[in-house]
Structures are given as C-alpha cells and as structure tokens.
Amino acid sequence: EPEVTQTPSHQVTQMGQEVILRCVPISNHLYFYWYRQILGQKVEFLVSFYNNEISEKSEIFDDQFSVERPDGSNFTLKIRSTKLEDSAMYFCASSVRWDQPQHFGDGTRLSIL
Amino acid sequence: ILNVEQSPQSLHVQEGDSTNFTCSFPSSNFYALHWYRWETAKSPEALFVMTLNGDEKKKGRISATLNTKEGYSYLYIKGSQPEDSATYLCAPRRSGNTGKLIFGQGTTLQVKP
C-alpha cells in the first residue's frame, strides 16, 4: 500500500539554525499538510497546501515557516531560525481530496538545542 | 477556536472487554468527523470519516456513531484485543475546503492479555 514517507526520522539542530523537513506524499494525492505535536500536547495543524499554494495556515505558521513543493514528489517544511519551542514531532499528511482521509507519515522528531 | 474534547484520557481494560470513548466538539459549521488510530512509533491511521447525523460506521470490531446536533461521537471496541492498544484521536472538520483537521487530545487504550 502506498505510504507517506518523511525524512529524517530525527533531526537535532542548534537554536537559530535553519531546518528543512522533507516529505514524499502519496503520488496521486493533491492535498498536503503539516501538523506537529509538542510532547504531551495535542496534534496541531500547521498548514495545508493545494495547487502549489497555501490554502490555510494556523497562527503557529508565522514568517519563520515556509512550505514548498520543489518538484513533482517532495513537499518540504522549512523553519528559518529555529527556537527551543519548535521542538516537536512534525507530521506530513496527504489526501486525494480535501474531504477525504489524510494519510500520515511516521513523523520527524525535531530537537532544538 | 474549535475545542475538541475526548474522554477518558486513558483506559486500561482486560482482553475481551468491550469499551467505548467519547469525542465532543462544537456543532456549528460542522462538516465531518474523522477518527484515527495511532499506535506507538507508527503514523496515525484513518479509521472512519463520518458526515451525517446518526451515521454509524463499522470496521471489524470497531464501530462509531455520530450526533452532529449535540456535537459528539462515540467509538466502540467490542471484545478488545491487545493489538487494539493505541491512542484513538478524533478530528472534526468544519465547512471549508482546506482539509484542516483539529485533533482532540486522544484516548489511550491499553488492553491487557
């Protein structure tokens, strides 16, 4: 069964550094998402992406965050200048349509030192 | 802000017990409710997407009901097995075509053999 893949599985970065989290969504899916879960908290929506543009973003998704689909397969989340509070598990998801179930990757654990 | 509450937060049952949990959400602008099953060290897996008031869905020993007027959904597991041990997340979706999911904090189920 096709799946969403995320790399790396764990990323350790110094505060203030840029980080790029990578995702390969399922190939026929058109809607892409990023969520995150800070330890002990709920899974939070960050951003949804369709037709090469952001369709919705949360308050968390400020100017330090950006998303890109640089080619036909990858979907990336960039954090420009990381803060300690960005430490979390980041999940990528994709779906065929906006109202269909979302398929999640295994996540990238981001640790900011 | 969409407030999604799940109860109980955690549950320990014996193998063979039947169990149920609750997801409560605001009923205004409701579009759909998603249930996900999330095993440790794996990605969340879609169980059900429910849209209509009175909807009932079933997948093996797991079933769910939906009341959109009062804003709640129940998830039932009949004859729990150790492999049912996981965190069960609900995520309502409001009207709008961005696909954004707002997750509850989850119910963590532990089934003892």
Side-chain angles (χ1 to χ4, degrees):
Chain A
E1 189 176 323
E3 54 183 35
V4 175
T5 55
Q6 289 187 243
T7 55
S9 55
H10 191 186
Q11 173 85 43
V12 182
T13 302
Q14 291 287 333
M15 188 171 62
Q17 296 296 305
E18 175 183 285
V19 67
I20 298 176
L21 309 182
R22 301 181 193 280
C23 169
V24 179
I26 294 173
S27 61
N28 65 330
H29 285 189
L30 301 176
Y31 290 78
F32 313 111
Y33 315 89
W34 284 100
Y35 294 85
R36 78 174 186 189
Q37 187 186 35
I38 294 170
L39 192 64
Q41 298 185 22
K42 294 182 182 184
V43 174
E44 302 172 290
F45 169 81
L46 292 178
V47 66
S48 58
F49 191 87
Y50 168 71
N51 200 25
N52 279 321
E53 59 183 29
I54 291 173
S55 45
E56 186 170 0
K57 58 184 180 180
S58 70
E59 290 175 358
I60 303 165
F61 196 90
D62 62 22
D63 292 344
Q64 294 301 310
F65 291 84
S66 61
V67 288
E68 204 176 33
R69 189 153 160 82
D71 53 43
S73 58
N74 290 284
F75 179 51
T76 61
L77 174 70
K78 184 195 288 187
I79 309 175
R80 256 180 278 282
S81 177
T82 49
K83 306 183 189 70
L84 293 174
E85 54 265 35
D86 293 328
S87 295
M89 195 77 168
Y90 286 79
F91 291 97
C92 172
S94 68
S95 62
V96 175
R97 273 170 46 103
W98 64 273
D99 57 348
Q100 295 297 300
Q102 294 175 19
H103 295 252
F104 284 78
D106 287 342
T108 292
R109 181 170 299 285
L110 178 63
S111 301
I112 307 300
L113 304 178
Chain B
I1 295 175
L2 190 62
N3 194 27
V4 183
E5 296 293 334
Q6 289 188 248
S7 62
Q9 196 169 340
S10 65
L11 201 51
H12 292 77
V13 301
Q14 288 294 134
E15 183 176 353
D17 287 350
S18 294
T19 186
N20 66 85
F21 353 113
T22 306
C23 171
S24 302
F25 52 87
S27 53
S28 60
N29 298 322
F30 174 84
Y31 183 85
L33 183 83
H34 294 235
W35 278 102
Y36 284 85
R37 180 171 176 274
W38 191 7
E39 286 182 72
T40 304
K42 293 189 178 179
S43 54
E45 172 200 349
L47 285 173
F48 305 116
V49 180
M50 309 176 77
T51 54
L52 300 175
N53 186 43
D55 222 357
E56 287 190 38
K57 299 264 182 173
K58 192 173 180 184
K59 189 175 184 175
R61 292 178 290 98
I62 304 176
S63 60
T65 60
L66 178 67
N67 183 321
T68 61
K69 293 187 190 310
E70 295 181 41
Y72 63 84
S73 176
Y74 294 137
L75 189 82
Y76 300 92
I77 303 179
K78 186 177 176 183
S80 304
Q81 299 296 308
E83 57 264 31
D84 295 328
S85 298
T87 296
Y88 292 83
L89 298 170
C90 71
R93 175 180 277 156
R94 281 184 148 164
S95 308
N97 61 353
T98 67
K100 171 183 176 180
L101 293 175
I102 303 295
F103 285 93
Q105 74 273 30
T107 292
T108 299
L109 173 67
Q110 192 72 34
V111 183
K112 296 177 188 174

